[in-house]
Amino acid sequence: MISFKKRYIIYFIDIILPIPLQKTFTYSVTEEEASYLQKGMRVAVSFGKTKMYTGLVFTIHQTAPVLYEAKDINQILDDKPIVNEQQLKHWQWIASYYLCSLGDVYRASLPSAFLLESETIIYKNEVFNDESILNDDEFLVYEALQHQSQLTVHQIADILGKKKVMPLINQLIEKLVISIKEEIYETYKPKLVKYVRLHSQYDSNEMLQALLEELSRAKKQQEAVLSFFQLKASKKPIKAKDLEEASGVSSAVLKALVAKEIFEFYHIQTDRIQYKGKINDLKQLNEYQEVALNQIKDSFTKNDITLLQGVTGSGKTEIYNKLIQETIDNGKQVLFLLPEIALTTQIIARLENYFGKQISVFHSKYSMNERVEVWNNVLESKTKAQIILGARSSVFLPFSNLGLIVVDEEHEASYKQFEPSPRYNARDAAIVLAKIHNAKVLLGSATPSLESKFNADQHKYGLVELTRRHGNIQLPKIELIDVKEKHRKKEMKGHFSDRLLKLITEALELKEQVILFQNRRGFSPIVECTTCGTAPQCPNCDVSLTYHKYRGELKCHYCHYQRAMPNSCGACGSATLNTKGFGTEQIELELKELFPDHVIGRMDLDTTRGKNGYQKIIGAFEAQEIDVLVGTQMLSKGLDFENVSLVGILSADSMLNFPDFRAHERAYQLMVQVSGRAGRSKKQGHVAIQTFNPYHQILQQVSTTNYPEMYKEQLQDRWQYHYPPYYRLIKITLKHRDYTKVDTGINWLAKSLQNVFKENVLGPSAPAVARIRNQYIKNLIIKIPPKQSLGKTKEQIQKIKNTFEAVKEFRPIRFILDVDAY
């Protein structure tokens, strides 16, 4: 006799979890779930003992995991994928190139609303009444549940003052004291606008007449109904808010009419960000811009990437606009990358003039719900998301038919993400993203990074140059002021030389505006006792506290520790405290004393907090409500102010003497970019640079805006000392609260790496600030020669890292890998 057993086919899915582990995890699903699920959908799964995570489906297959038994998924969260194939390809490249996990990239890419949060909720068991079987900790939890209907795991941890509470919760479950349940919170809430309509029973004229007679005594309600008919004439849906304003009644009156079944409320979902305004035609290009545009198009036929090197104020944005228009006319999407959120405020206004509702903006100052809406609009290729304007995180959006990526100010260090992982460079990630989509990339800058210029010289990129400013205005006149000499002759007033003050006075008398640049915020970086020389230090970091006079406090710019400014020295009790060095706040106060009749503004991290912080300051400066604007490097990046005739750089030396192989290149870029804010529309601008060393070669190159000479000199240094663009760099950082552990770990690591990479290992060394947030830091740098395989090098490093993490005493040390760490 033959028996037929029904064979069940078991399906599995590999999912990416938003955690820093290198692999995907396998869960089991039913045949029905497997047929419904697609790559890029989210599922809720339990991981470990207490946690519920939002996983992303990576593959669907029938191979059971070998080392563990696959758990079931809890629920499917999407009805269609929210991440597409091209994105997953891009994520894999980022994870492999920057030596991080796919989970890290997943967490960085998705707005946090998509990563559902989970809490284990604990309820009391109503039938339990035998308190005698509970120990002290168990009784504390039981007693807390008498006062609260439910508790979370975190709340129980707080009640008991312990981190590990799961064993105790398991004991309480076994004793039938409590029951548990996993709650999942969907954190995105669509924006709903409340509208009003008349109840269907009032369709006929007779019923309406009767209604108005019925409301003759309720004047407010009658007023609301009459206003409703006036608004209805426009044949548009009527918002509850508009009706309240038109009739002058409160929301309570409308609610009363709804209760009487005269009105009905209904809701329509809407986007939080809407463009209101008229669309203008694109500006006509001048002959030089026209030539550059044609050269770019020609270059795109041979190269996918083109570098546009155009002097400050040459009108690069107008060229971008023409290329954007052509791309969207071909039905493709455009990504416009900017290095700084401050820049987006001006560019948004400009682009909206031409492209109106086709633009969406994506950066961290936008709320989580706003970012979710942009994500969904890009995913669905809506017309309002044809052009995406954003900071570095916008390379992670779900593009489906990208045609062009513009990377403005491509040299900017802000494109590099340092913390947390993935430590990617948005410019390089954008180039790979474009390759996946067969799109073109335009890199724009007046002072390109050495790597991009080198790639253009090697014919990996096309190169187009724009050497004239828009309107043929000359580049600003740059003047170096010798501060050492001025001090000797006693011609300094505070932090200003007599020459700079004269230039500021002249500009203000002509009703022109001034920008002053000081790349340090706060009032003073050091407060020192004049008796014993002690300076207040941050308790968590190896750095002195910065004095912020406005708030009367000392602040650490690394860990945000703050305390009130002391009246006397903490070491010797002396009341004579002195400030050393100066920041933007001190400059602002000095200017208010020197120019009491003028409005002084300040733009730095302290004044631009909040979503509209940048807009308010930039808007006020554009409207010429501010005469002198003091700021940090935020001011240097591509901003365009018509009436600025003078730019002052107050301390050039701090930029030049920075311990970094890119210090001179960065200083040149920063000073030329800041200088470029002067004289952009009417007449030649003026730039004054205060320095103790006016004969420094970089300052001489800035004063003549001699990029080729700077490029040539820096390239020679890089070749001689084995730095990019010739050699690649991978930086390894160890962090731990115990100095000895970090020191032992880094020495072991250095020896292991030197065995493989010989003299190409630099270090170990401690950074300038060797302890941050009570974590000691040590670094190693590996240089990779031009002909050495990058892939094989990374494999070797990964092997050494795995061995390092297998050693028990090294396991608690945080191991950070940063590829292209500059």
Side-chain angles (χ1 to χ4, degrees):
M1 185 178 161
I2 302 165
S3 69
F4 291 95
K5 283 188 181 172
K6 192 172 178 186
R7 289 183 63 209
Y8 288 98
I9 303 168
I10 302 173
Y11 285 87
F12 297 95
I13 54 169
D14 289 344
I15 65 169
I16 307 167
L17 290 176
I19 52 176
L21 292 175
Q22 291 291 350
K23 54 185 181 181
T24 54
F25 294 86
T26 306
Y27 284 77
S28 67
V29 288
T30 63
E31 193 172 346
E32 191 186 359
E33 286 169 337
S35 63
Y36 180 79
L37 282 167
Q38 294 174 55
K39 198 173 180 176
M41 279 186 179
R42 293 172 307 149
V43 288
V45 293
S46 62
F47 185 77
K49 290 180 180 171
T50 66
K51 273 289 185 185
M52 185 81 91
Y53 280 112
T54 303
L56 193 80
V57 178
F58 190 59
T59 48
I60 303 163
H61 58 88
Q62 292 175 326
T63 315
V66 181
L67 300 172
Y68 55 92
E69 193 179 331
K71 290 182 184 176
D72 294 340
I73 62 168
N74 285 50
Q75 63 191 94
I76 296 170
L77 301 169
D78 297 312
D79 49 14
K80 60 176 189 284
I82 62 156
V83 170
N84 61 37
E85 281 277 1
Q86 288 112 313
Q87 263 179 301
L88 286 169
K89 234 189 236 179
H90 192 226
W91 289 9
Q92 283 171 288
W93 177 83
I94 287 174
S96 121
Y97 185 83
Y98 291 104
L99 295 174
C100 61
S101 70
L102 261 177
D104 281 332
V105 188
Y106 169 40
R107 180 172 278 287
S109 302
L110 264 73
S112 53
F114 284 137
L115 301 167
L116 299 187
E117 296 168 0
S118 86
E119 280 288 9
T120 304
I121 308 287
I122 283 106
Y123 299 91
K124 66 179 175 188
N125 197 345
E126 298 295 345
V127 293
F128 177 81
N129 54 15
D130 185 6
E131 294 171 18
S132 60
I133 62 167
L134 303 178
N135 64 30
D136 291 351
D137 282 349
E138 289 168 352
F139 183 74
L140 274 174
V141 176
Y142 175 69
E143 193 180 36
L145 281 166
Q146 304 304 317
H147 303 293
Q148 279 176 273
S149 60
Q150 59 184 54
L151 291 169
T152 67
V153 172
H154 296 298
Q155 285 170 322
I156 289 175
D158 290 342
I159 290 164
L160 300 176
K162 292 178 178 178
K163 279 189 178 174
K164 285 189 178 174
V165 292
M166 278 322 282
L168 178 97
I169 290 169
N170 288 333
Q171 288 164 22
L172 287 167
I173 293 167
E174 281 166 25
K175 292 176 181 176
L176 302 176
V177 183
I178 58 166
S179 59
I180 71 167
K181 180 180 155 197
E182 279 286 356
E183 293 274 323
I184 295 196
Y185 301 112
E186 176 81 74
T187 47
Y188 166 64
K189 289 183 177 65
K191 183 179 181 184
L192 299 171
V193 177
K194 193 193 280 185
Y195 286 84
V196 179
R197 62 183 165 218
L198 204 60
H199 204 282
S200 54
Q201 67 188 27
Y202 295 106
D203 279 351
S204 65
N205 287 337
E206 298 81 38
M207 290 297 286
L208 281 175
Q209 202 58 47
L211 170 63
L212 291 170
E213 281 170 24
E214 189 189 322
L215 295 176
S216 57
R217 288 185 184 175
K219 289 288 177 208
K220 287 277 183 196
Q221 291 182 6
Q222 190 182 42
E223 190 64 44
V225 173
L226 289 168
S227 297
F228 175 84
F229 286 113
Q230 283 172 337
L231 292 172
K232 202 179 172 192
S234 69
K235 295 188 178 170
K236 284 183 184 171
I238 297 163
K239 289 181 189 171
K241 205 174 176 185
D242 292 349
L243 181 55
E244 284 167 28
E245 282 173 16
S247 58
V249 302
S250 67
S251 57
V253 174
L254 293 193
K255 280 178 187 164
L257 287 163
V258 170
K260 286 183 174 179
E261 294 192 344
I262 294 165
F263 280 161
E264 286 178 327
F265 285 147
Y266 66 104
H267 294 86
I268 295 177
Q269 189 175 327
T270 181
D271 276 4
R272 285 170 168 80
I273 302 163
Q274 307 257 336
Y275 170 69
K276 301 175 186 75
K278 66 178 199 299
I279 296 170
N280 303 304
D281 291 335
L282 290 178
K283 279 187 188 171
Q284 280 293 309
L285 299 185
N286 65 28
E287 58 181 300
Y288 305 104
Q289 289 171 317
E290 200 69 62
V291 168
L293 178 64
N294 291 328
Q295 285 175 340
I296 291 167
K297 288 181 191 171
D298 186 45
S299 168
F300 278 156
T301 59
K302 307 174 202 119
N303 303 286
D304 289 335
I305 307 151
T306 296
L307 173 64
L308 171 61
Q309 184 176 357
V311 295
T312 54
S314 57
K316 293 187 286 294
T317 311
E318 305 305 333
I319 295 174
Y320 300 157
N321 289 346
K322 290 281 185 189
L323 289 165
I324 289 168
Q325 185 68 64
E326 285 179 23
T327 310
I328 58 175
D329 286 347
N330 291 332
K332 289 190 173 283
Q333 295 166 309
V334 176
L335 171 59
F336 194 130
L337 280 177
L338 292 157
E340 188 82 61
I341 298 167
L343 251 180
T344 59
T345 50
Q346 260 201 349
I347 299 272
I348 292 164
R350 282 205 211 161
L351 293 189
E352 279 184 340
N353 266 339
Y354 306 130
F355 302 110
K357 289 182 179 174
Q358 292 172 298
I359 294 178
S360 289
V361 184
F362 190 83
H363 60 64
S364 58
K365 280 280 198 285
Y366 275 57
S367 75
M368 182 187 63
N369 287 330
E370 286 166 346
R371 278 183 278 167
V372 169
E373 279 162 12
V374 174
W375 182 283
N376 288 333
N377 291 340
V378 176
L379 186 68
E380 292 159 26
S381 287
K382 288 195 177 167
T383 47
K384 62 180 78 171
Q386 285 299 96
I387 305 163
I388 299 295
L389 192 69
R392 59 176 179 253
S393 58
S394 45
V395 295
F396 293 124
L397 285 165
F399 297 102
S400 51
N401 62 340
L402 201 54
L404 174 71
I405 300 179
V406 175
V407 185
D408 196 21
E409 309 297 347
E410 67 81 30
H411 64 277
E412 272 299 335
S414 318
Y415 281 127
K416 171 74 175 160
Q417 161 90 0
F418 287 105
E419 205 62 47
S421 182
R423 295 173 181 82
Y424 65 100
N425 186 311
R427 177 196 62 205
D428 301 344
I431 287 169
V432 175
L433 180 67
K435 198 169 178 59
I436 291 168
H437 284 269
N438 290 324
K440 303 294 180 192
V441 181
L442 183 63
L443 307 174
S445 176
T447 52
S449 61
L450 255 67
E451 302 88 64
S452 295
K453 186 72 167 74
F454 182 73
N455 281 333
D457 286 354
Q458 301 290 309
H459 305 296
K460 286 185 186 172
Y461 299 173
L463 175 65
V464 174
E465 291 177 304
L466 193 56
T467 52
R468 284 174 186 255
R469 277 190 143 188
H470 198 268
N472 276 343
I473 293 158
Q474 284 180 291
L475 282 166
K477 180 168 171 265
I478 298 174
E479 180 181 335
L480 299 174
I481 299 169
D482 189 341
V483 180
K484 191 165 61 182
E485 189 66 15
K486 294 286 180 192
H487 274 295
R488 193 177 65 77
K489 291 181 178 172
K490 297 192 169 43
E491 289 174 348
M492 292 292 289
K493 201 168 188 179
H495 294 99
F496 295 91
S497 60
D498 59 341
R499 176 68 182 146
L500 181 55
L501 284 175
K502 184 171 179 269
L503 290 168
I504 294 172
T505 310
E506 284 172 5
L508 294 176
E509 280 171 358
L510 292 167
K511 300 272 187 291
E512 290 165 348
Q513 290 169 294
V514 178
I515 284 177
L516 293 177
F517 173 77
Q518 167 60 6
N519 209 7
R520 191 185 280 279
R521 63 193 172 100
F523 182 86
S524 158
I526 298 169
V527 174
E528 190 179 76
C529 169
T530 52
T531 309
C532 70
T534 304
Q537 298 287 309
C538 172
N540 312 317
C541 312
D542 283 346
V543 70
S544 58
L545 293 169
T546 301
Y547 174 39
H548 287 248
K549 192 169 188 174
Y550 174 67
R551 290 177 175 270
E553 66 186 15
L554 295 172
K555 212 171 186 181
C556 172
H557 289 172
Y558 287 88
C559 70
H560 308 300
Y561 166 85
Q562 56 199 62
R563 54 178 270 210
M565 173 72 175
N567 297 320
S568 58
C569 172
C572 71
S574 164
T576 53
L577 296 173
N578 196 12
T579 59
K580 286 201 162 183
F582 61 101
T584 46
E585 200 180 316
Q586 191 167 343
I587 298 301
E588 180 191 21
L589 292 169
E590 279 186 25
L591 284 166
K592 281 178 177 170
E593 281 179 25
L594 292 163
F595 301 99
D597 302 332
H598 291 91
V599 182
I600 315 296
R602 173 161 60 96
M603 183 162 139
D604 56 27
L605 204 60
D606 300 313
T607 61
T608 53
R609 299 200 187 279
K611 182 171 139 189
N612 299 314
Y614 297 102
Q615 261 160 312
K616 283 176 191 161
I617 296 168
I618 289 171
F621 196 59
E622 275 183 322
Q624 298 179 22
E625 291 162 17
I626 295 171
D627 300 313
V628 183
L629 184 60
V630 184
T632 54
Q633 42 98 25
M634 289 177 185
L635 284 175
S636 69
K637 302 172 186 178
L639 292 167
D640 186 9
F641 303 112
E642 281 191 0
N643 198 36
V644 173
S645 65
L646 173 68
V647 166
I649 296 172
L650 292 163
S651 170
D653 308 291
S654 58
M655 292 181 264
L656 293 167
N657 304 329
F658 200 71
D660 176 20
F661 76 93
R662 292 191 74 170
H664 286 181
E665 178 196 351
R666 290 258 160 89
Y668 176 88
Q669 287 164 340
L670 202 50
M671 284 188 262
V672 169
Q673 290 286 346
V674 175
S675 306
R677 302 313 110 215
R680 290 174 74 93
S681 69
K682 299 188 191 96
K683 62 172 191 179
Q684 185 182 19
H686 204 116
V687 179
I689 300 175
Q690 294 192 158
T691 170
F692 282 91
N693 183 7
Y695 302 106
H696 193 291
Q697 95 257 23
I698 286 289
L699 292 173
Q700 290 295 321
Q701 286 156 5
V702 169
S703 69
T704 54
T705 322
N706 194 340
Y707 180 87
E709 194 185 312
M710 183 280 295
Y711 171 69
K712 193 175 152 198
E713 243 176 54
Q714 293 304 312
L715 220 50
Q716 278 173 342
D717 284 355
R718 303 280 179 90
W719 174 249
Q720 193 176 346
Y721 299 111
H722 297 177
Y723 278 108
Y726 299 104
Y727 277 58
R728 288 260 179 60
L729 295 188
I730 295 179
K731 182 177 170 189
I732 296 175
T733 304
L734 297 189
K735 287 185 181 181
H736 196 264
R737 295 174 90 86
D738 181 342
Y739 177 80
T740 320
K741 264 200 172 100
V742 174
D743 199 45
T744 315
I746 204 85
N747 287 326
W748 181 94
L749 203 56
K751 281 185 186 131
S752 305
L753 290 164
Q754 278 156 3
N755 288 339
V756 182
F757 301 114
K758 309 291 185 276
E759 73 281 356
N760 285 326
V761 178
L762 277 188
S765 64
V769 181
R771 181 177 60 108
I772 295 175
R773 294 191 177 91
N774 280 322
Q775 301 250 336
Y776 290 95
I777 305 166
K778 285 278 177 99
N779 294 328
L780 278 170
I781 286 176
I782 299 158
K783 291 181 173 179
I784 305 164
K787 295 212 168 110
Q788 187 174 310
S789 157
L790 188 63
K792 289 204 172 115
T793 305
K794 287 178 183 171
E795 274 173 37
Q796 292 276 11
I797 294 169
Q798 202 65 54
K799 274 182 198 165
I800 292 169
K801 181 187 180 208
N802 295 342
T803 314
F804 178 87
E805 288 171 344
V807 178
K808 193 181 172 187
E809 61 187 288
F810 297 155
R811 221 169 281 155
I813 300 173
R814 192 159 166 232
F815 191 115
I816 297 166
L817 279 167
D818 192 352
V819 179
D820 299 342
Y822 49 86

